[in-house]
Amino acid sequence: MSGRFVRASKYRHVFGRSTKKDQCYDNLRVSKNAFDTNLVKANPQYISVNWEAGGGGAFAVIPLEERGKLPESIPLFRGHTASVLDTDWSPFDDSFIASSSEDGKILLWKVPEDFTVRPDVEEVTDVSPTGKLSGHSRKVGHVLFNPSAQNVLASASGDYSIKLWDVDAGSSKLSLKHGDIVQSLSWSANGSLLVTTCRDKKLRVWDVRQEKPAVETPGHSGAKNSRAVWMGEHDRIATTGFSKMSDRQLGLWDIRTPREPLNGFEILDQISGVCMPFWDEGTQCLFLAGKGDGNIRYYEYDNDKFEFLSQYSSPDPQRGIAFMPKRGINLHENEVTRAFKTVNDTYIEPISFIVPRRAEVFQNDIYPPTAGLKPAMSSSDWFAGKEGLPPKISLESIYEGEAEPQEMPSDDKPTSAPLHPASPPRPAVKEPEPEPEPKPAARGPPPSMKDNQASMADMADKYADKDEEVQSDDESSSFEEVSKPERPAAATVERGEPPPPTLAAPATSNPSSAASPPHDTTTTAPQDLPKADTRQPSASSHRSNPSGSGLSGASEGLKGHLSDIKGLLEAQNRTIMMQTEKIDRLASEVERMKASGGAGGAGADDVGKDERIRMLELELEEARS
């Protein structure tokens, strides 16, 4: 049976279908800002795209059904004083969006009802923001809504921090300090953990409400940007980045064992563009889109590996891309996901990924329940420490055209549990299992001294009988005097081994042989006793003298070892004291620098102080590790 094994997969034949130019979103002016973001975000109703606008920053919102060539003048969402860098749609309100900009502000917007990019008016009016979040001191490069709690927003800034905002209250409740600029961030499915990649080449998993990283490990070693995406409800993270040789890499991480990626880094190619990862929870597939090339690879996650399925190839390179939430795909064409990519900074092309099926019915094996519009909790509950997955909806009810999608119960698997693997196993280990240890109790009481003496006597008798036979045989042999002195008794004592029992039994004249009862000595042949007396004194004298010297040598050796151990402990104590003093000195110096920096105003040497503080913090972290 010689045939190649083919792995079974429902998505092995998924293909990407491009869209004709007249069905794309044409005549756009996509922002040419060089900051590394995706430029485009999508939901089932709208697409947002960063706009190349003069006189301040702006972005455009395009309804999905308004395809084709757009007018020269469209209503923009204008309110920033510098270029817009990123936008993000609320997962629970398709008309609510947040934007970030180089001006250090975060603006909140509400898409007007019946919004259109083709208004039947002479003068187009722009849309104004409904709220503003201020707190960052430098440009804000990324914004991302929590996937579980309503109106909880994370923002990453050039001031090396991530702030967690309560949008309802309009204030920042938590802050996550980094050592350098944050390059990407992604939430876990229940919204309790946040993974980030940073310019310091470290991958961090944050226990957000504790404001400290639960995991911090070296990531991709290359100098270019790296990205991370949380793989839905799994405790796994996918990252893309570069090696030191500028090879594009893909990594799969287990947050319970984060020292290195599972199966190492996989080399993709040598293209220089950043690789943008997107995870699809319904298909368990990872999509990789490269900046500057037209390829979109997709992998299926199976048995802690990424199995390559295929790739969508296009001669038109993309600079930004977004994927549609599962609620907005075309279920009647077996579309499993849809991407929107920018082409030549002038139009956006939809790309449908389709599973080929002949049957024209709902395919429930490729459409599991997905997240709906109902959050798991409010922002106040989330900041109070609550966790949970949002309720899911049945895609079959959407396929049937029901007005209200059928809600499905969600299995809440807390993602934070794998971070503490020592605590969960305790309930699983039942105490009754070790109870089969009555074996030691079934053993009788330890043998008494008399029993030991009796067993030693039996052994001595056995060896004595054998020795008598050997001696009777040796009387006629000329090698009688050579056999016994060959056992180095002194060396045996120095090694700490007891002397062999064959020498103890024939020495019946020695009263210290307590193992031989009186009746055994009477049974010994009379002619053997003189021989034992003539040979044994020399052997006993050989055993007695070296035993004293061996014991004294062993005690001196033990004293030497103990003194060596004592010296090592003292040296370690000195090293620990020096390290403790160094840590205290660095910590006090960092506090002093921060206090002096906070007391003064914005001076010319602030940048130098910040750099010095950062170097001291790195040195302090290294000393503590």
Side-chain angles (χ1 to χ4, degrees), residues 89 97 109 145 165 169 177 227 251 286 303 308 318 333 350 410 429 434 451 460 468 472 481 566 578 585:
W89 294 99
I97 187 171
W109 313 78
F145 277 99
W165 303 87
K177 299 295 184 182
R227 298 283 192 97
L286 179 72
N303 294 327
F308 178 74
Q318 64 255 356
E333 294 186 359
S410 62
V429 177
D451 296 333
E468 288 171 3
S472 62
E481 306 253 341
K566 184 178 179 182
M578 292 172 62
R585 178 176 56 81

Side-chain angles (χ1 to χ4, degrees), residues 374-413:
K374 185 177 179 181
M377 68 203 80
S378 65
S379 58
S380 58
D381 290 338
W382 186 86
F383 281 106
K386 187 177 178 182
E387 292 184 10
L389 292 172
K392 296 184 178 181
I393 59 173
S394 169
L395 291 177
E396 187 172 5
S397 60
I398 299 178
Y399 181 89
E400 300 295 340
E402 298 179 11
E404 288 294 330
Q406 181 183 353
E407 189 173 303
M408 309 288 289
S410 62
D411 299 329
D412 190 2
K413 305 174 189 173

Side-chain angles (χ1 to χ4, degrees), residues 148-404:
S148 179
Q150 189 169 25
N151 291 337
V152 175
L153 181 69
S155 63
S157 169
D159 59 8
Y160 305 164
S161 71
I162 292 179
K163 290 187 180 297
L164 281 304
W165 303 87
D166 184 348
V167 175
D168 295 330
S171 60
S172 170
K173 298 291 185 70
L174 303 169
S175 181
L176 313 178
K177 299 295 184 182
H178 287 69
D180 214 321
I181 292 178
V182 177
Q183 295 173 339
S184 71
L185 63 160
S186 179
W187 287 100
S188 62
N190 64 1
S192 63
L193 301 175
L194 185 72
V195 60
T196 63
T197 59
C198 186
R199 199 165 63 182
D200 60 7
K201 303 177 185 178
K202 289 186 178 180
L203 178 72
R204 294 177 176 89
V205 178
W206 295 83
D207 190 349
V208 179
R209 285 162 291 196
Q210 299 297 323
E211 296 185 272
K212 60 182 180 181
V215 170
E216 182 172 350
T217 186
H220 297 270
S221 58
K224 298 180 182 178
N225 286 10
S226 60
R227 298 283 192 97
V229 61
W230 203 290
M231 295 169 55
E233 298 178 19
H234 298 286
D235 51 6
R236 300 288 189 272
I237 296 167
T239 61
T240 58
F242 293 83
S243 68
K244 290 183 178 179
M245 304 301 294
S246 296
D247 297 324
R248 282 205 295 198
Q249 295 176 327
L250 170 64
L252 172 63
W253 303 78
D254 184 351
I255 64 173
R256 297 170 299 183
T257 55
R259 289 186 175 273
E260 57 184 14
L262 301 175
N263 308 314
F265 289 111
E266 178 182 347
I267 296 179
L268 300 175
D269 49 40
Q270 287 78 36
I271 301 177
S272 60
V274 174
C275 206
M276 299 174 283
F278 298 90
W279 172 254
D280 182 46
E281 180 70 14
T283 60
Q284 300 289 295
C285 290
L286 179 72
F287 293 82
L288 302 181
K291 280 195 172 186
D293 61 87
N295 301 329
I296 302 176
R297 298 180 177 89
Y298 35 101
Y299 300 77
E300 185 176 8
Y301 174 66
D302 186 26
N303 294 327
D304 271 344
K305 290 191 301 184
F306 286 126
E307 300 287 352
F308 178 74
L309 294 175
S310 184
Q311 74 172 359
Y312 168 81
S313 299
S314 169
D316 300 320
Q318 64 255 356
R319 201 163 69 87
I321 193 168
F323 276 74
M324 169 81 73
K326 195 70 83 174
R327 295 180 287 113
I329 59 177
N330 190 338
L331 302 173
H332 294 272
E333 294 186 359
N334 298 332
E335 182 184 44
V336 290
T337 190
R338 188 187 309 164
F340 298 87
K341 77 170 194 175
T342 65
V343 180
N344 299 328
D345 293 338
T346 58
Y347 70 95
I348 295 176
E349 177 187 4
I351 302 168
S352 297
F353 291 90
I354 297 172
V355 176
R357 295 282 175 93
R358 292 180 180 272
E360 296 182 356
V361 294
F362 179 73
Q363 308 292 316
N364 56 4
D365 61 327
I366 60 174
Y367 293 124
T370 190
L373 287 171
K374 185 177 179 181
M377 68 203 80
S378 65
S379 58
S380 58
D381 290 338
W382 186 86
F383 281 106
K386 187 177 178 182
E387 292 184 10
L389 292 172
K392 296 184 178 181
I393 59 173
S394 169
L395 291 177
E396 187 172 5
S397 60
I398 299 178
Y399 181 89
E400 300 295 340
E402 298 179 11
E404 288 294 330

